[in-house]
Amino acid sequence: MKMLKRISYAERAALCTNRIAQRLFSLLTEKETNLALSADVTTCAALLELADKLGPEICILKTHVDILTDFTSELTKQLVSLAEKHHFLIFEDRKFADIGNTVKHQYQQGVYHIADWADIVNAHSLPGPGIISGLAEVGLPKQRGLLLLAEMSSAGNLITSDYVQKTLRMAEQFPEFVLGFIAQKKISADPWWLYMTPGVQLTEGKDTLGQQYVTPAKAIGENQSDIIIVGRGILQAKDPQSEAQKYRQAGWEAYCAGLK
Ligand code: 5BU
């Protein structure tokens, strides 16, 4: 497949106006990693240990705080200080999907106070632009960013190419708040959108519950995504730290190959 020469993360940092996208494109360049760790563990101790050990390898720590069995607000304080120590951003994979007024409360209030510690959250575009307006009311004053779910990695999902295009149009209405997309591939020619791709392992395959995997080379090279999101590929390895280094290398090499 013929691949166009890609624009570097550094050049894209200069091309975009979204504050979080700028920060992230610069971070990718400085740290030379496009690996996001999906830290899907169920205790605070395990999450903090991962964040500290693997922090130097990653640009993003992706969390699902609602799977923790022992969540306290102390956890998020410690996560924020590890993010500062190791220079990564925190992305709570909350997948908001309700009306604007409800997601506002889910984002700011409740048990987790997500807006107080997560640099980035994501939302389905399904409910329409009100979901973005609601989240933006909370997130923008705190300089947070939003990713829209344009595509999913799971088999049999109901997303169509029309849905993807309409998601893109919706994002275009909120350039200050929406920094990009969770997607399997680049969906727009505009260079300022940032893409993160879940469903990545070193070999293609699937799990028993519909998850489908592509390789870092396919996600970043062929599909022109920017950041690979890896969970079990790293977490279930004998040595997660050295496995993370392998993913980091594979992701970065795929990016550099596209620049030539
Ligand atoms: P895995 O262990 O690498 O399969 O974990 C993938 C993570 O990405 C997991 O936290 C999912 O909730 C998340 N995910 C996904 O797998 N596919 C998607 O389309 C989206 C999120 Br959106």
Side-chain angles (χ1 to χ4, degrees):
M1 183 186 169
K2 190 176 177 306
M3 265 182 275
L4 293 172
K5 186 174 177 298
R6 77 189 294 152
I7 310 174
S8 72
Y9 297 138
E11 288 168 284
R12 286 164 65 199
L15 287 169
C16 64
T17 51
N18 182 285
R19 298 271 291 272
I20 291 273
Q22 277 170 349
R23 232 176 110 192
L24 195 43
F25 279 129
S26 303
L27 175 68
L28 295 171
T29 311
E30 282 155 25
K31 205 169 168 184
E32 299 195 348
T33 175
N34 52 15
L35 172 64
L37 174 69
S38 184
D40 300 332
V41 288
T42 53
T43 66
C44 294
L47 178 53
L48 290 170
E49 190 187 340
L50 271 176
D52 202 17
K53 275 207 178 131
L54 274 55
E57 311 297 336
I58 61 177
C59 57
I60 296 230
L61 182 80
K62 186 177 83 63
T63 55
H64 280 299
V65 271
D66 57 356
I67 68 174
L68 293 166
T69 53
D70 55 355
F71 176 87
T72 67
S73 57
E74 185 52 31
L75 168 90
T76 54
K77 282 193 204 124
Q78 294 195 32
L79 276 185
V80 169
S81 78
L82 287 171
E84 282 163 11
K85 175 179 170 192
H86 295 299
H87 305 290
F88 58 74
L89 298 187
I90 303 173
F91 164 23
E92 165 58 22
D93 188 1
R94 174 62 180 76
K95 299 185 184 73
F96 293 104
D98 213 319
I99 60 166
N101 187 58
T102 301
V103 296
K104 237 171 83 174
H105 294 299
Q106 291 172 325
Y107 189 17
Q108 176 66 84
Q109 312 292 335
V111 177
Y112 302 114
H113 300 278
I114 295 168
D116 290 342
W117 52 269
D119 300 291
I120 298 169
V121 291
N122 55 356
H124 287 284
S125 50
L126 183 77
I131 188 172
I132 309 177
S133 304
L135 292 169
E137 278 187 19
V138 174
L140 266 183
K142 294 176 186 280
Q143 307 198 344
R144 306 305 190 193
L146 177 71
L147 295 165
L148 287 183
L149 277 111
E151 295 178 320
M152 291 195 71
S153 60
S154 44
N157 72 70
L158 301 178
I159 294 171
T160 60
S161 54
D162 181 51
Y163 183 95
V164 174
Q165 284 310 306
K166 286 182 174 150
T167 300
L168 173 60
R169 298 285 97 79
M170 223 184 271
E172 287 167 352
Q173 296 172 46
F174 300 88
E176 277 180 34
F177 190 47
V178 178
L179 68 141
F181 304 93
I182 299 287
Q184 292 296 300
K185 59 182 181 306
K186 178 172 142 182
I187 62 167
S188 160
D190 294 328
W192 44 83
W193 300 117
L194 201 144
Y195 302 94
M196 299 192 199
T197 298
V200 174
Q201 287 203 349
L202 290 174
T203 47
E204 293 204 356
K206 48 189 173 184
D207 73 4
T208 55
L209 297 172
Q211 175 69 303
Q212 307 178 109
Y213 292 109
V214 296
T215 61
K218 174 146 185 179
I220 301 290
E222 196 175 318
N223 292 350
Q224 297 280 293
S225 182
D226 295 311
I227 291 175
I228 49 171
I229 298 176
V230 183
R232 285 166 288 176
I234 291 172
L235 302 179
Q236 292 181 346
K238 259 205 200 111
D239 180 351
Q241 204 169 356
S242 70
E243 202 67 11
Q245 286 161 359
K246 284 186 205 161
Y247 279 93
R248 176 185 187 172
Q249 193 181 351
W252 195 256
E253 278 174 4
Y255 162 68
C256 291
L259 294 175
K260 288 185 192 140

